[in-house]
Amino acid sequence: ADMVRRVVLPGIPIVRQRLLDRMVPRASHRMSPPDFSEERTAPEELVVISLEYQPAEFTKMMSDSALRGYTRMLPLYSGLALLSAIMFGLLSGLGVGILVFLGILGVLLLLNMVSARSRAAMALQRMPYDGMKLRLSLTEQGIVLRAANGEDTRFGWNAIRRAVERPDCVEFYTTNSFIRVPKRCIEDMEQLRRVVDAHIHPKTSA
């Protein structure tokens, strides 16, 4: 056995040899047990809000999200509408071109809004009873949204571009999405304002 160890061990990387220390009788020391003295602790929650959206609120969020998407795509839509308007304008006159331009933009907006409401209705039908219940917490690192099934969605403070306080809600905006918090769910509005003011610069109010 000693001969086998002498032949095999030189061909095993040093790191792998360490894992075999306890199996080699001539090992001078045992592997130290892992140190768990510095376990990670969950970040302190500065504000905790239990969210439960009503169907009308959920539908409105879907519609507003579609409107924001339409706004982001508006330069592209406008370019396509302008090309069509120029073609029709050359064929039928300036007035027709203007009507075509406005009509295309209007139809695209309508399709976005109708599609969003349709998706919201379908989602509400398939959604479980607690599907619109979320737990929102604000920590020193950012915002954590926890769904009823335990899945977390995290946004660092550097990802939150602005916060807007409205008469009936508070909204947090990222580049591609937003979080709407109904004020009826907020127990301590002043504490929420203090945390937001400390982490989001500048804070936009409306």
Side-chain angles (χ1 to χ4, degrees):
D2 184 62
M3 180 65 68
V4 173
R5 286 193 295 269
R6 292 182 181 181
V7 173
V8 174
L9 285 179
I12 300 177
I14 299 299
V15 175
R16 295 288 300 278
Q17 289 185 32
R18 292 177 184 171
L19 298 178
L20 300 175
D21 278 353
R22 292 188 181 182
M23 299 177 64
V24 181
R26 294 186 180 181
S28 59
H29 62 280
R30 295 195 175 202
M31 292 178 62
S32 301
D35 183 8
F36 295 106
S37 59
E38 297 183 0
E39 294 184 351
R40 287 186 176 182
T41 57
E44 179 185 359
E45 296 178 327
L46 306 176
V47 175
V48 177
I49 302 173
S50 296
L51 301 176
E52 184 172 358
Y53 294 108
Q54 298 174 354
E57 292 173 333
F58 179 77
T59 301
K60 189 174 188 305
M61 280 195 301
M62 292 286 285
S63 298
D64 291 348
S65 179
L67 182 60
R68 293 187 73 227
Y70 174 84
T71 303
R72 287 196 301 268
M73 295 295 294
L74 190 57
L76 175 61
Y77 294 157
S78 298
L80 295 176
L82 182 59
L83 290 177
S84 300
I86 292 174
M87 292 177 57
F88 279 93
L90 292 175
L91 293 174
S92 305
L94 179 61
V96 173
I98 294 174
L99 290 177
V100 168
F101 178 80
L102 297 177
I104 291 176
L105 293 182
V107 168
L108 290 173
L109 175 60
L110 182 61
L111 288 176
N112 271 274
M113 302 303 292
V114 170
S115 176
R117 288 185 172 274
S118 177
R119 292 196 306 271
M122 294 175 60
L124 288 171
Q125 290 178 356
R126 297 194 302 263
M127 195 176 296
Y129 172 74
D130 56 356
M132 287 190 290
K133 293 182 179 180
L134 298 171
R135 183 180 186 273
L136 182 143
S137 59
L138 277 64
T139 70
E140 289 293 345
Q141 287 71 42
I143 296 177
V144 181
L145 268 176
R146 176 165 296 176
N149 61 5
E151 293 184 359
D152 287 349
T153 303
R154 300 174 182 271
F155 301 90
W157 286 118
N158 58 344
I160 307 296
R161 302 186 63 180
R162 61 193 177 108
V164 178
E165 181 180 344
R166 303 192 185 280
D168 60 343
C169 66
V170 176
E171 296 174 337
F172 298 94
Y173 288 87
T174 68
T175 302
N176 299 314
S177 62
F178 71 99
I179 305 169
R180 178 171 294 163
V181 183
K183 280 189 174 180
R184 59 181 175 77
C185 300
I186 303 173
E187 296 183 358
D188 191 341
M189 191 66 199
E190 289 303 319
Q191 173 64 6
L192 177 63
R193 288 193 183 102
R194 285 194 293 269
V195 173
V196 170
D197 287 342
H199 292 87
I200 300 179
H201 306 285
K203 174 177 179 285
T204 303
S205 299

